[in-house]
């Protein structure tokens, strides 16, 4: 099968589009013939983490397609079912942290940037009917991350003020759509005038310049909830805009992971600083019900052919996208 | 009336034991004739915060005594009732943060280190019958702070492992007693061999040397909950001992308030960092029911006469105490 896989030297240098043998389907597993896949920031990390000594690894955590082969004992799906990939392996219920055996599709096991993938059958989840194949291919990892951060962890409520610094990533655009659907007033920030404009078109109530004075721009309005994935570059600016008793959820640190905070501000402010990442199978089901109910479709940035993987990886590395970057897979 | 009051130069220099005029009781207020009072770390801060230009201020947030005079319209207490002072003014219900009009007894209004105090009647709360006057005089501020941090914020559960760094303060000894009564396994730390020994006698399951290697001492055992009031000196050591999905509640920073944390550790660990301080009238009632149910009495360090205030302030400033320092007040 054709696949984008990593082998040998770390980084983009070790990434190739070419022919790779298919994996065999064992008991409890399914093979999904993939129609689409989604690129995530994690795929960049995988290129630096996959060992030079290990065999070729298909990259990618998100995908959608048709069940093609069903292993012994599988009852939840059958051949011909339209499904998306749950990128989280072995995290079933909504617990406060994933179990020790938790893994993510695309490292250590093969990922989705290929014509097919073999997975535990429970990781094949019914495709939301209102989504196109390209949309279904990009929805799971970012949608799930946004859902857990905003609902399970952030406990967003109707009427709350929610700040999303760094609108641009797939998770950030889902956060914007989910928070609006939940009835919140949504504030976003970006360094890019173009992204701020686009965010307003997507429903954001306010769009601030990331590099400006947020306190001035917000005229003293404080946030009930901040969902923060930028990290060091904006973290303390975000904390400053949080109301007493408010919550900041952090799930990313693309601009640095070391931050210095003042404990006294935190405890006099009775504030909550909560870490979040990914989510359980249970939360994925809740997220899918939510986007079906509100007819939410992912914000699509660009869709590439698998063979044009380099352009896609460069685009996410430079953070040029607004929304999700996808791959369309045809045989 | 005799009182310990602050006037003029900041710090201990401005602190005097002497005669001060009583305040008049207005509608909705009561005068409590005080039998006992409790010293808190906050009283040290008050000495540095009370303005040199303002009139003399009676220090102290904790006290217990007998209702002596009742203002117009007061129905919750009557003359002769045995009461303790709720040190929190205007925070009635258990909300996520106190309302803007929240104050603490002892700044800006007169405090408890005096023969009597005038307060809003709702701040006079029935004295727990199982406590002596000296015990009742020290229970409210520290007990309330411990209660909110451990239960409302930390959501402690039976069977959990709870770490209390820096056993010594009144709040820390309440935390130890409350956590044991709630069925937790309790780990404490102290630099003092004597305090570690005393903590074990008080029911702690393990007592670690604050300056040692906690990871070694705990042999890999991770904590469900850490209640942290030391601040910079131990904060990152505490964070390291927290399990995935665990919670750290911070309510003090006597050893520094600036800490550098790693967001990536926090979000991959799905951890919670929660600020807490004081508590509402509702939580004070819950705390009193809890200590009555479990027959918990405050750990008494030393009780002084009001006129010996200097020795008491020096003892808390040097953090020599284990448990509560009180004042016995007699006419």
């Amino acid at each position: 099968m054709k696949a984008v896989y990593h082998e040998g030297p770390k980084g983009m240098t070790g990434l190739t589009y070419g022919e790779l043998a298919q994996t065999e389907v064992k008991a409890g597993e399914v093979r999904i013939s993939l129609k689409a896949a989604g690129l995530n920031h994690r795929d960049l990390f995988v290129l630096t983490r996959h060992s030079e000594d290990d065999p070729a690894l298909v990259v990618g955590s998100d995908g959608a397609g048709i069940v093609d082969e069903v292993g012994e004992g599988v009852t939840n799906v059958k051949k011909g079912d339209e499904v998306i990939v749950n990128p989280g392996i072995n995290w079933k219920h909504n617990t406060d942290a994933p179990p020790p055996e938790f893994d993510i599709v695309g490292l250590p096991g093969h990922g989705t940037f290929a014509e097919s993938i073999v997975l535990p059958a429970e990781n094949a989840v019914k495709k939301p009917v209102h989504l196109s194949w390209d949309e279904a291919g990009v929805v799971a990892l970012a949608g799930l991350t946004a859902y857990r951060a905003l609902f399970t962890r952030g406990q967003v409520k109707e009427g709350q003020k929610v700040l999303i610094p760094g609108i641009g990533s797939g998770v950030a655009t889902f956060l914007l759509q989910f928070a609006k659907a939940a009835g919140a007033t949504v504030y976003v920030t970006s360094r890019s005038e173009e992204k701020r404009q686009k965010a307003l078109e997507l429903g954001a109530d306010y769009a601030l310049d990331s590099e400006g004075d947020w306190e001035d721009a917000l005229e003293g309005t404080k946030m009930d909830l901040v969902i923060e994935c930028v990290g060091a570059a904006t973290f303390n600016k975000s904390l400053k805009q949080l109301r007493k008793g408010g919550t900041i959820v952090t799930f990313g640190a693309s601009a640095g992971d070391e931050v210095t905070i003042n404990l006294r501000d935190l405890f006099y402010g009775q504030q909550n600083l909560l870490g979040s990442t990914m989510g359980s199978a249970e939360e994925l089901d809740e997220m899918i019900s939510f986007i079906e109910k509100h007819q939410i479709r992912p914000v699509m940035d660009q869709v590439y052919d698998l063979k044009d993987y380099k352009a896609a990886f460069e685009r996410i590395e430079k953070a040029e996208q607004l929304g999700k970057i996808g791959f369309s897979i045809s045989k």
Side-chain angles (χ1 to χ4, degrees), chain A residues 32-40 43 59-66 82-88 105-106 110-117 119 123-128 131-142 284 288 306 324-329:
Chain A
I32 302 166
S33 175
L34 291 160
K35 295 268 193 188
L39 185 63
N40 290 290
D43 302 318
V59 184
S61 302
D62 272 330
I66 296 173
E82 300 191 341
V83 296
I84 65 171
V85 171
N86 173 4
V105 170
H110 279 315
T112 54
F113 299 169
E115 287 175 344
S116 73
I117 187 171
L119 279 176
N123 281 71
V125 176
K126 194 174 170 299
K127 170 184 167 286
L131 300 187
S132 70
W133 279 116
D134 285 346
E135 290 166 343
V138 302
V139 79
L141 193 145
L284 183 67
I288 290 172
L306 261 193
K324 291 298 305 178
I325 296 170
F327 291 111
S328 188
I329 303 170

Side-chain angles (χ1 to χ4, degrees), chain A residues 239-311:
Chain A
L239 261 182
K240 252 195 181 170
Q241 300 318 315
L242 198 60
R243 72 160 169 87
K244 288 195 176 205
T247 296
I248 183 164
V249 178
T250 171
F251 71 90
S254 50
D257 51 15
E258 298 268 322
V259 297
T260 300
I261 59 169
N262 187 288
L263 292 176
R264 211 170 285 277
D265 292 346
L266 195 82
F267 64 72
Y268 282 136
Q270 307 260 2
Q271 290 166 336
N272 311 303
L273 164 48
L274 313 181
S276 188
T277 188
M278 287 282 290
S280 63
E282 193 177 336
E283 287 164 306
L284 183 67
D285 289 343
E286 289 173 18
M287 186 273 285
I288 290 172
S289 301
F290 186 82
I291 63 169
E292 285 177 338
K293 180 180 169 192
H294 295 281
Q295 292 289 299
I296 292 169
R297 314 161 80 92
V299 176
M300 297 305 288
D301 179 69
Q302 281 202 43
V303 179
Y304 295 86
D305 272 351
L306 261 193
K307 66 173 173 7
D308 300 326
Y309 68 95
K310 272 190 190 161

Side-chain angles (χ1 to χ4, degrees), chain A residues 23-31 69-72 117-119:
Chain A
T23 314
E24 209 177 303
V25 174
K26 291 190 293 247
E29 292 182 340
V30 293
R31 182 191 320 281
E69 194 181 336
V70 169
E72 212 179 316
I117 187 171
V118 173
L119 279 176

Side-chain angles (χ1 to χ4, degrees), chain A residues 125-192:
Chain A
V125 176
K126 194 174 170 299
K127 170 184 167 286
V129 288
H130 72 295
L131 300 187
S132 70
W133 279 116
D134 285 346
E135 290 166 343
V138 302
V139 79
L141 193 145
L144 177 57
T145 303
Y147 189 89
R148 179 170 172 89
L150 187 67
F151 292 96
T152 310
R153 302 290 277 145
Q155 297 277 310
V156 69
K157 305 263 184 315
E158 194 180 337
Q160 284 192 327
K161 295 180 185 72
V162 178
L163 175 65
I164 305 163
I167 198 74
S169 73
V171 187
T173 47
F174 277 121
L175 283 168
L176 164 55
Q177 294 173 295
F178 292 179
K180 283 307 297 177
T185 304
V186 179
Y187 299 71
V188 304
T189 84
S190 176
R191 284 180 297 187
S192 149

